[in-house]
Amino acid sequence: MKQKNETLLEIHDLSISFRMYDHGLEQTNLQVISNLHLTVYPGEIVAVAGSSGSGKSLLASAILGILPDNATVRGHLHYKGQELTSGRQEQLRGTEIALVPQSVAFLDPLMKVGAQVDGHRKPRPADKRKRLFKRFGLPDKTEQLYPFQLSGGMERRVLVSAALITDAELVIADEPTPGMSLEQASEALRMFREMANEGKAVILITHDIDLAVGFADRVAVFYAGTTVETAPASDFKIGADALRHPYSKALWKALPQNGFQAIEGFQPYAGNLPEGCLFAPRCSRKTAQCMSNVPPVREIRGGEVRCYHGT
């Protein structure tokens, strides 16, 4: 269960920009995340949802400290009450904070997958690895195979196993289930749920909101590099009226079982962000205030929303 009296991870006003070259040797800064806010408590799964390009995977890289050298990070990142400096990130990465990467290219093509899951741990956690592989339906011989000998779904299950074997306090799972069957994906999320029930935490980055809300405690909705709403997962089960931000409502209505209703416009490109609320150009409720000022984060009905007109 969540323990609201303490936080595991706190992110406030996070901004990320990349130094790039434009028009020959002229340098420019491309801001891709701005004023992002997220809090994660022990014992919970926070699903992070939003369209492609909204900053979900960049958030994972920022927490782990694995952004490229041309990135500039501003804002406040704290883990267990202490600032996440680059040195602390290096110390925690792969031990207390583990990543399930989005790309199966993270697997070493020249190393057998059993050794990759075990890592450099001594003694090797062979028994735990075998239990994880068995729960995922991976054959006994899998540990002796190389990545090229696995299907895409098998590679995904190996990546999830590599994160779960670490006993990390925080797992960041970046789109961990593509290529898995529904049964396999559900098993992966059940294991994340068990981990959270033991007092640890999971950030689940996903496009599959339907599957995620069956296991998550809260859902953070990203748009154009910022958090527009954080809501109890149960609100997504109730429907659009239970949500607070116009984009969250539109996201719910765009799900296939809810009519696949699209809204006009598109998510703005990072190099051409509007003034004020980033969603304002597509919002039917926008006012002059929305077009010129960035809304603050407000608490409404047990959730948080960045909107002047959120209800």
Side-chain angles (χ1 to χ4, degrees), residues 98-259:
L99 173 68
V100 180
Q102 183 177 126
S103 174
V104 296
F106 274 74
L107 290 171
D108 187 337
L110 302 179
M111 183 183 294
K112 293 179 180 180
V113 298
Q116 293 192 57
V117 172
D118 291 350
H120 300 290
R121 299 170 190 86
K122 292 182 180 180
R124 293 180 63 182
D127 289 342
K128 185 173 183 179
R129 171 180 27 83
K130 289 178 181 178
R131 290 195 299 271
L132 288 169
F133 280 13
K134 184 176 181 180
R135 286 194 65 173
F136 274 131
L138 292 168
D140 291 339
K141 65 176 183 178
T142 302
E143 64 188 47
Q144 296 299 322
L145 301 178
Y146 292 92
F148 77 89
Q149 296 175 294
L150 307 179
S151 68
M154 292 173 73
E155 289 177 309
R156 293 282 182 188
R157 284 175 275 168
V158 167
L159 286 171
V160 175
S161 299
L164 290 172
I165 207 169
T166 62
D167 286 327
E169 293 293 316
L170 174 65
V171 167
I172 305 170
D174 190 357
E175 296 286 359
T177 57
M180 295 187 193
S181 67
L182 178 59
E183 180 180 353
Q184 292 163 355
S186 297
E187 183 64 21
L189 297 193
R190 273 193 291 271
M191 285 194 272
F192 288 144
R193 183 70 264 169
E194 291 171 9
M195 173 185 162
N197 290 344
E198 293 172 357
K200 301 174 182 179
V202 178
I203 297 175
L204 175 62
I205 298 170
T206 182
H207 282 98
D208 194 343
I209 299 176
D210 285 343
L211 182 62
V213 297
F215 297 89
D217 297 282
R218 293 185 295 138
V219 178
V221 180
F222 284 16
Y223 182 81
T226 195
T227 319
V228 294
E229 178 171 357
T230 304
S234 57
D235 289 355
F236 278 84
K237 298 177 183 179
I238 296 170
D241 290 342
L243 300 171
R244 298 149 191 80
H245 196 280
Y247 177 67
S248 302
K249 295 174 185 287
L251 191 64
W252 186 91
K253 292 176 181 178
L255 296 174
Q257 72 274 23
N258 299 329

Side-chain angles (χ1 to χ4, degrees), residues 57-69 71 89 93 99 101 106:
S57 294
L58 281 175
L59 170 65
S61 296
I63 295 169
L64 289 159
I66 54 175
L67 288 166
D69 291 339
Q89 287 169 322
R93 192 164 56 233
L99 173 68
F106 274 74

